[in-house]
Amino acid sequence: MKIEHLTVQGCNEWNEDALILNERERIYGVLDGATSLSSAVGVETGGYLASRIAKEVFETSELPAGCAPLRSLVLMANERIRTAMLERGVDVNDKNALWAAGIVVVRIGEHQIEYAQTGDCMLVAVYKDGTVRTVTHDQVDHFDEKSRLLWERYSKEGLPPDEVRSRVYETIKQNRLKTNTSEGYAILNGEPELEHYVEHGGLNRIQLSSLLVLTDGLFLPRKSGEPTPSMSDMVALIDEKGLSGYVDWLIANEYDESQQGKYTRLKVADDKTAIRIYFE
């Protein structure tokens, strides 16, 4: 088994993504912190704090061999985020103030792969015959699509970029009110209701060539008015360029001024974190 991984900061001050690398337990994953939308928490953002707290749960040397199912560890991380917020004086009844992070994490077994997921962090399996299987569901995409459509509509109406961003931002704040509900999406933010919505399961290793674990910063950009690129498109480019080469290409595209306006983006460049696991 060969492990390739990276994490690259986007355009904001903090890299709110985090890697989970626990070789002893063969647990690997990524976290995507979501910045709190109200109330300052100090120097670090809420998204940064949430992802680091969760990372520690999965990487701690205190985890016993053959430890708890990944779903239980996700809920443990969620509870630790809640405890840390209460200690810092965060109003845990204000959804927009909560520290939050999406996650996808896998445990590699001899015959089976266990996984758990929330938010829009994704797990993709690639098989020896070239089949690309998207294992997890992007739970945030239905909200992201609404935000993208609003962005395109306001831009076409000729509103200044700052006004466009401000209006879409208000929509994002409303979306946060639906976290960990059947109308929203699952995310680690200290809410006990997360226990009802953690995606978890397993897949066998028959003909499995590799796994790709990633945050949404690696998604191919979507051109305005065109369909969203598929995971197969992204995997093909990663196979062609290599994981780090693909990220370099993506970042160059994001900062290429000639490309500005061709893509629907809520920020110039998002944090990017991924793990590629190759099976011999």
Side-chain angles (χ1 to χ4, degrees):
M1 190 172 75
K2 175 186 173 185
I3 308 289
E4 183 181 9
H5 58 82
L6 56 77
T7 182
V8 179
Q9 185 172 338
C11 61
N12 289 338
E13 183 179 2
W14 294 88
N15 184 351
E16 296 179 314
D17 282 4
L19 281 163
I20 296 169
L21 301 169
N22 185 336
E23 294 184 1
R24 182 173 70 94
E25 287 296 327
R26 291 160 69 95
I27 293 175
Y28 305 95
V30 299
L31 290 144
D32 184 357
T35 302
S36 309
L37 297 182
S38 66
S39 73
V41 297
V43 177
E44 309 96 337
T45 65
Y48 176 90
L49 293 168
S51 64
R52 268 54 185 182
I53 291 167
K55 171 184 171 71
E56 184 177 352
V57 169
F58 287 92
E59 290 188 345
T60 178
S61 60
E62 297 175 2
L63 280 179
C67 59
L70 293 180
R71 176 182 179 275
S72 297
L73 294 178
V74 168
L75 295 177
M76 181 188 299
N78 189 57
E79 180 59 32
R80 296 222 180 145
I81 291 169
R82 183 179 183 86
T83 298
M85 288 190 295
L86 289 169
E87 291 174 349
R88 191 72 73 92
V90 174
D91 180 1
V92 295
N93 294 310
D94 178 1
K95 282 179 177 277
N96 281 316
L98 297 178
W99 307 350
I103 188 172
V104 62
V105 59
V106 298
R107 178 189 277 125
I108 309 299
E110 183 178 358
H111 305 291
Q112 295 276 334
I113 310 293
E114 180 191 3
Y115 70 88
Q117 182 254 6
T118 71
D120 53 10
C121 295
M122 298 295 286
L123 171 62
V124 180
V126 182
Y127 292 86
K128 292 179 180 179
D129 66 356
T131 298
V132 175
R133 172 186 175 189
T134 303
V135 179
T136 51
H137 175 63
D138 182 345
Q139 301 177 42
V140 187
D141 187 60
H142 60 295
F143 285 132
D144 285 345
E145 179 64 16
K146 291 178 182 178
S147 297
R148 285 192 292 265
L149 290 173
L150 283 174
W151 187 283
E152 292 175 6
R153 178 185 133 198
Y154 295 143
S155 296
K156 288 178 181 177
E157 290 175 357
L159 294 177
D162 287 347
E163 177 67 16
V164 172
R165 188 175 301 276
S166 176
R167 292 195 183 191
V168 174
Y169 179 79
E170 288 303 314
T171 298
I172 293 172
K173 288 181 69 173
Q174 291 301 311
N175 295 343
R176 288 279 180 96
L177 301 180
K178 298 179 181 179
T179 55
N180 298 313
T181 71
S182 59
E183 298 301 316
Y185 56 94
I187 197 164
L188 285 78
N189 64 359
E191 293 180 307
E193 292 80 7
L194 174 65
E195 69 173 318
H196 304 302
Y197 301 108
V198 178
E199 288 264 318
H200 60 100
L203 58 154
N204 67 51
R205 288 180 56 172
I206 295 173
Q207 293 292 300
L208 188 61
S209 174
S210 68
L211 291 175
L212 182 61
V213 181
L214 68 151
T215 62
D216 68 324
L218 272 84
F219 293 177
L220 276 168
R222 176 184 178 274
K223 284 190 176 182
S224 299
E226 294 187 5
T228 302
S230 70
M231 286 292 174
S232 295
D233 296 331
M234 182 187 66
V235 169
L237 278 170
I238 291 174
D239 286 341
E240 174 190 332
K241 301 175 181 296
L243 184 56
S244 61
Y246 170 76
V247 169
D248 289 343
W249 170 83
L250 194 57
I251 292 171
N253 178 284
E254 289 170 335
Y255 285 100
D256 183 350
E257 292 187 3
S258 69
Q259 301 299 309
Q260 301 305 313
K262 294 183 180 180
Y263 299 97
T264 307
R265 297 189 178 109
L266 300 184
K267 63 178 74 171
V268 174
D270 199 1
D271 303 326
K272 298 168 178 60
T273 301
I275 302 174
R276 189 84 184 263
I277 303 171
Y278 299 89
F279 301 99
E280 299 177 352

